Amino acid sequence: MERSEIDSLVRHNIAGLTPYSTARDEYQGELGTFLDANESPYENGYNRYPDPHQKRLKARLSAIKGMPVENIFIGNGSDEAIDLIFRIFCEPREDNVVAIAPSYGMYRVAAAINDVEVREVQLGEDFSLPVDDILKRADAHTKALFLCSPNNPTGNAFPRAEMLRLADAFGGITVVDEAYIDFSDTEGLKDEIFARPRIVVLQTMSKAWAMAGLRMGLALADRRIIELMSMVKYPYNISEATMRIVKELLDLPVDDQVTEIKAQRAVVAEALSRLRSVKHVYPSDANFLLVRFDDADAVYDHLIGDGIIVRNRSRIKGCEGCLRITVGLKEENEKLLKSLESYEKESPVR
Ligand SMILES: *Cc1c(COP(=O)(O)O)cnc(C)c1O
C-alpha cells in the first residue's frame, strides 16, 4: 500500500492511533432509547452528549464556505487547530516549524507547549514575504510552515502566487491562517487544498462572523488531514450550546457589517495619516490598522486615560513605535480620533 504524502509527515504514535469511539457511531438514528453513555435521562436541552462529528453544523458551514464536509474541521477556536497541527505532525525535541515574524503569537505558544522548535523568519521591512529565506530555514525536520494572511499584526495579505510558490517548494504542511480574510479584497487559498493537499487553511468565527465569545475556528484541508485532526481532538470539543448558538447566528448575515468596517477602516486610516503624531499608517487587509507614532507608549497611555484600549506592539521587532488599532463602530472610531487630537494639543511639538 502506498502511503500518502500526508501520512509520511505524521508522527508514528499518531499514525497508529485508535481514536476514542462512542456507541452512537454505530447507531445512526436520531430517535432511540439511549442507554449507552451514562447520561441523565431527564431532558433539559443539554443532558445528552453533543455530536462529536458536528454533522449538522458542518453541513451548514459546507454550504456557506462552498467546501465539502470531508474537508472541514471545527475546533474550539483556531487555537485548537493550531495545537493539533503540532500534535499530529511534530515530534517534540526532534521536529521544527518555520513561522514568519512578526505574526500571531499563538504559533510560538503552541510550539513551546508541544516542545517543538520554531524558526522565525523576519518579514521584509515593508512586511513582504521572504520566500527564499523561509525555504532556506527549512530542513528535513521542518514539518510545518505558519503563514498568516492577512497577517496579524502587520495587516497585509501576501501575494497568492508567492504563498503558492512557498507551499509547492516546501515539503511539509503549509498552514495559512486566514482569520482576517473576510476583510480583504484578495481571495483566500481554500480552493487550493484540492490540488495541494499539504495546504491547511485556518479560518475563524471570531472576527467577521462576530462570534469570538463562542470559540469556534475552522480548518479547511485535505480529507486525510481532517481525518487526523478529528481523530486527535477531544471527542466532544464543541459543546451543544455552542453549536446551537452558532447555527442561530449563522442566519444573521454579516456582509453589511464587513462592508461598514472596511469603509470605516479607510476613513480612520485617512484621518490618522493627517495627524502630526502619526508617522505611518500601514495598508490593511484586516479589521485593524497598524500605526506608527512618534511616541507609541505616550499615545497608548493617553488613550488608556480616555478609556480607549488598543494593542501596544511597539516592543515587537519590525513593529517598533507601532500600535495596533481595531476598527470599531463609527462612534468608537470618532472617539479614538478625538482622543488623539487632544493628545496632540497636550503634548509639546517634537
Ligand atoms: C484572532 C485570530 C485568530 C482567531 O483565533 P480564535 O481562536 O479562532 O479566536 C486566529 N489567527 C489569528 C492570526 C488571529 O489574529
Side-chain angles (χ1 to χ4, degrees):
M1 188 178 74
E2 199 187 326
R3 289 176 80 212
S4 79
E5 214 179 341
I6 303 301
D7 284 292
S8 64
L9 294 165
V10 175
R11 291 169 64 196
H12 294 299
N13 61 320
I14 301 298
L17 188 71
T18 308
Y20 182 79
S21 71
T22 78
R24 295 213 191 139
D25 290 338
E26 287 136 43
Y27 179 78
Q28 296 298 328
E30 291 278 325
L31 294 170
T33 303
F34 293 111
L35 302 176
D36 59 316
N38 301 343
E39 297 153 335
S40 168
Y42 297 100
E43 295 292 340
N44 63 7
Y46 295 101
N47 57 314
R48 301 294 175 184
Y49 278 98
D51 172 17
H53 310 294
Q54 298 120 12
K55 283 203 185 87
R56 283 161 183 236
L57 185 57
K58 276 190 183 174
R60 283 290 301 281
L61 291 167
S62 167
I64 290 170
K65 298 284 175 188
M67 301 290 282
V69 289
E70 299 79 31
N71 299 96
I72 301 175
F73 167 82
I74 304 178
N76 184 339
S78 310
D79 295 346
E80 182 180 7
I82 293 166
D83 183 58
L84 284 173
I85 301 284
F86 283 98
R87 292 165 65 194
I88 291 166
F89 295 105
C90 300
E91 202 59 57
R93 287 182 292 270
E94 192 176 303
D95 291 329
N96 66 73
V97 302
V98 172
I100 54 170
S103 192
Y104 188 43
M106 203 54 210
Y107 315 136
R108 208 186 322 186
V109 172
I113 290 169
N114 285 287
D115 208 356
V116 171
E117 180 199 352
V118 188
R119 301 176 174 185
E120 292 190 335
V121 179
Q122 195 71 18
L123 297 177
E125 204 150 323
D126 50 352
F127 302 139
S128 57
L129 196 62
V131 174
D132 295 318
D133 292 352
I134 290 172
L135 290 174
K136 259 181 249 158
R137 290 303 298 281
D139 63 20
H141 283 288
T142 307
K143 292 295 190 69
L145 160 64
F146 284 87
L147 302 179
C148 182
S149 179
N151 188 34
N152 177 6
T154 62
N156 59 314
F158 301 115
R160 179 187 194 83
E162 288 182 17
M163 289 192 283
L164 293 180
R165 178 156 87 83
L166 252 180
D168 288 345
F170 172 56
I173 303 294
T174 297
V175 180
V176 185
D177 188 339
E178 295 186 348
Y180 300 97
I181 195 67
D182 301 295
F183 302 103
S184 176
D185 295 329
T186 68
E187 231 189 289
L189 293 190
K190 69 175 163 50
D191 295 326
E192 297 293 338
I193 64 165
F194 304 102
R196 296 173 159 94
R198 286 178 290 102
I199 291 182
V200 175
V201 171
L202 303 183
Q203 295 189 355
T204 180
M205 307 310 287
S206 297
K207 307 289 157 66
W209 280 97
M211 302 185 205
L214 290 174
R215 309 308 303 130
M216 188 170 289
L218 309 179
L220 308 170
D222 175 79
R223 54 192 300 164
R224 177 59 183 148
I225 296 182
I226 300 300
E227 215 170 78
L228 288 159
M229 293 178 88
S230 306
M231 225 166 69
V232 175
K233 76 179 178 75
Y234 292 157
Y236 306 107
N237 61 328
I238 307 293
S239 80
E240 182 64 32
T242 301
M243 286 194 275
R244 230 175 256 182
I245 301 167
V246 168
K247 270 183 267 177
E248 272 169 36
L249 295 186
L250 282 173
D251 288 331
L252 309 174
V254 291
D255 298 10
D256 291 350
Q257 297 174 4
V258 170
T259 303
E260 174 61 13
I261 288 169
K262 286 167 78 173
Q264 280 294 307
R265 178 179 71 196
V267 170
V268 176
E270 158 68 12
L272 286 170
S273 67
R274 278 188 268 115
L275 292 175
R276 169 169 55 80
S277 57
V278 169
K279 287 264 189 60
H280 189 63
V281 182
Y282 288 92
S284 174
D285 285 290
N287 65 337
F288 58 83
L289 291 161
L290 187 72
V291 185
R292 186 142 38 83
F293 289 90
D294 58 357
D295 186 344
D297 288 343
V299 173
Y300 180 84
D301 290 342
H302 179 89
L303 290 173
I304 288 273
D306 279 349
I308 301 169
I309 300 98
V310 300
R311 195 92 154 106
N312 191 341
R313 303 279 77 186
S314 61
R315 270 167 267 291
I316 288 181
K317 193 176 169 211
C319 295
E320 289 82 1
C322 289
L323 302 180
R324 192 195 70 194
I325 304 174
T326 305
V327 178
L329 296 173
K330 186 165 183 280
E331 309 87 84
E332 295 176 311
N333 303 332
E334 282 165 358
K335 190 174 161 204
L336 166 87
L337 293 166
K338 229 185 185 151
S339 175
L340 289 172
E341 278 160 26
S342 79
Y343 164 80
E344 295 197 346
K345 282 202 194 92
E346 289 164 24
S347 69
V349 178
R350 264 170 258 256

